Every structure is written in structure tokens, then in C-alpha cells.
Amino acid sequence: MMVKLATQRTNSVPKLSRYKQLAAARHAVNARNFRAAKALLKACVMQNREDGRAWELFGRVHYLSANYPLAISAFERASLAVTLSDESQVSLASAYARSGQFELATDMLSKLAENQELSAPLLLDVAISLDLVDRPDLSMTACRNAAKQSPEHAQIYYDLAYYSERCGYPKTTTERMVRKAIRRDPGNLRYRIGLASSLFKQDRFDDAYELVQELPASKIVTLSCSGCLEQLEVLFRRANDESRVIACRQRLVELRLRGCGFEC
């Protein structure tokens, strides 16, 4: 009897509605619990094979899991039933680029780069994907449109510097862009070290040192790029800045012992 009652109670649990399943799936995606998200979305499409929003979210899950062919399939199926969100359009175009479908990717991304209604973060994502298909010129277009929306967004100018260098602009142009980024986010170590590294390679040691001369040892020990640390060590040594030379050397030794250093 007790077993029978337990079975009855289990069978009486109501199934989630489609809307609740989708909401739960979105929550799972945001938590990067892709296994749970896939199970919920599978239940959605089993109820309705033409559930465009479920297929769209499926595309997002596959994209975030770096399964670009399945992401493309899901997004394309979703697009037959619903209008894809801006984020999904950018993800689909990026999936084309990352799966080698460069013509489709370029066509879609070039239109997105001109879409001034896209948010600045999405335009920066478009720029990254355009660089993957070897169109840094269009990446610059996307960044410029992002700057119109968010002129104080430091990352836009740092990315513009990278793409301008890829396009063959003078080093003075890329330097100007990075300095704009630094003015908007003066505490960003990546911007300062990136420009210092570039100036170091141009034999502009004084200008390079000026960017990092106040970098505390407590920040140096958080760096993980071996190349940057090596260049900083040489720069600090040239400036007779022994305390920072020691900090760089100690961090390099630590990274090598742990085998976790990388080149940014």
C-alpha cells in the first residue's frame, strides 16, 4: 500500500508548461548548466516541433558549447518560425565564421556591423567575428558604430587600435586609440601593458616606462602572460627599478613552476 501511494504521489506531479520549461532552460543557460538546458529544451520541442523560441535557445546552448554546426542548424530552424533576437543573429553569424562558412558569415556580419540599433557589446562581438573572416576594415566599422552609442566604453577604443593595426594604419593611430582607452579606464592593466609593450618594441623606453612606473608589485603578481612579464622585466631593469624587476622575476618563476603561464 505504501509503495502504491508513493507511486501515485510521483505520478501526480504536474509537468512544467512550455513557458515554464523555457524559463527554466534560460535560467540553466545563464548558469552554464547546459546539460539541464538541453533536457528542458528537448521536452519543449517534443511537445511542439515548430517551437521557434526553444530552437533559438537550443542554438544558444550549442553556440556556448562551441558546437557550431549544431548551433547553425538550431538557429536556422528557429528562424523559420520566429524572428531571431539580435544576440542570436550575432551568434549565428559568428557560428558561420567559426565553422568556415566565410561567405555566409561575411554577408551577415557586414549587415550587422552597419546596424546602429545593436548594443555596443554585440557590435564588439560582430567585430571579433569579422576579424575571423579577415575583414578588420569592417571590424572597425562595427567599433565606430559602437562608439557612437557608448563613447565612454574603453574596450571599444582598445579593439579599434587592434583592428587599425591589422588594417595597416600608422602606429600613431593605434597609439592614439589605446590612449583613449586608458583615459576612460586608467586602472586597466591590459591596456597599459599592451601600449607599453608596443612602445618598448619601438625603442620608446621612456614613454613605455611612464605607463607602468606606478604599477604596484601586488598587481604584477596577478599577471599571467609570460611575454608581458618578460618585457616588463627588461623595461624595469633598464629604468633601474629593481623592486619591480624582482616582482616580475618571481612571478615568472612561479608561472613556470606551475606550468600555467600563457602568451596574451
Side-chain angles (χ1 to χ4, degrees):
M1 178 64 70
M2 289 179 66
V3 173
K4 184 176 181 180
L5 288 174
T7 303
Q8 288 174 344
R9 282 196 297 271
T10 301
N11 291 338
S12 67
V13 175
K15 292 183 178 179
L16 290 174
S17 69
R18 168 186 172 271
Y19 299 104
K20 288 184 177 179
Q21 283 174 330
L22 274 177
R26 290 192 185 95
H27 180 75
V29 172
N30 292 336
R32 301 191 73 82
N33 187 348
F34 299 142
R35 178 177 295 182
K38 288 176 183 178
L40 289 161
L41 292 169
K42 184 177 180 181
C44 286
V45 297
M46 285 181 68
Q47 293 177 44
N48 178 5
R49 299 295 294 177
E50 307 307 318
D51 189 337
R53 292 304 173 201
W55 284 113
E56 182 178 20
L57 195 52
F58 244 138
R60 186 68 182 154
V61 170
H62 291 310
Y63 179 80
L64 292 173
S65 303
N67 193 330
Y68 302 119
L70 284 182
I72 290 169
S73 177
F75 281 134
E76 288 181 340
R77 183 156 187 170
S79 69
L80 297 175
V82 297
T83 300
L84 295 180
S85 67
D86 290 344
E87 183 181 28
S88 293
Q89 290 180 53
V90 173
S91 295
L92 173 56
S94 177
Y96 284 141
R98 294 172 189 277
S99 62
Q101 300 184 53
F102 297 140
E103 188 173 343
L104 270 173
T106 303
D107 182 62
M108 191 170 181
L109 288 165
S110 61
K111 293 183 176 67
L112 290 167
E114 297 285 359
N115 185 351
Q116 297 186 32
E117 294 184 2
L118 286 184
S119 67
L122 283 179
L123 283 165
L124 291 183
D125 288 343
V126 169
I128 291 170
S129 296
L130 281 163
D131 193 45
L132 290 176
V133 297
D134 201 27
R135 292 301 306 269
D137 56 318
L138 292 178
S139 296
M140 292 188 71
T141 298
C143 287
R144 289 186 182 115
N145 283 329
K148 291 176 183 177
Q149 287 189 30
S150 301
E152 296 306 311
H153 192 328
Q155 185 65 43
I156 294 170
Y157 301 97
Y158 194 75
D159 289 359
L160 264 172
Y162 169 75
Y163 300 128
S164 66
E165 186 174 41
R166 288 263 289 125
C167 289
Y169 280 74
K171 291 187 182 298
T172 52
T173 299
T174 59
E175 180 182 345
R176 187 172 67 251
M177 290 295 105
V178 179
R179 288 192 182 278
K180 280 187 176 183
I182 291 172
R183 283 198 297 273
R184 286 159 175 79
D185 188 3
N188 191 303
L189 296 184
R190 188 162 61 94
Y191 301 163
R192 286 184 173 274
I193 294 173
L195 181 55
S197 175
S198 175
L199 296 176
F200 176 83
K201 292 173 184 176
Q202 298 172 53
D203 294 334
R204 293 172 57 187
F205 299 110
D206 291 343
D207 291 335
Y209 181 65
E210 183 182 4
L211 287 163
V212 295
Q213 63 183 342
E214 297 181 2
L215 183 63
S218 61
K219 295 293 186 181
I220 292 174
V221 298
T222 67
L223 300 177
S224 298
C225 174
S226 299
C228 290
L229 283 162
E230 288 169 355
Q231 288 186 355
L232 283 173
E233 181 186 0
V234 173
L235 182 59
F236 291 140
R237 191 179 301 282
R238 184 183 178 94
N240 295 316
D241 191 338
E242 287 303 318
S243 63
R244 290 182 176 84
V245 169
I246 292 170
C248 288
R249 174 52 44 192
Q250 288 176 338
R251 180 58 173 165
L252 280 166
V253 170
E254 180 186 359
L255 291 175
R256 286 165 185 163
L257 288 174
R258 293 167 55 188
C260 59
F262 66 90
E263 298 291 330
C264 65

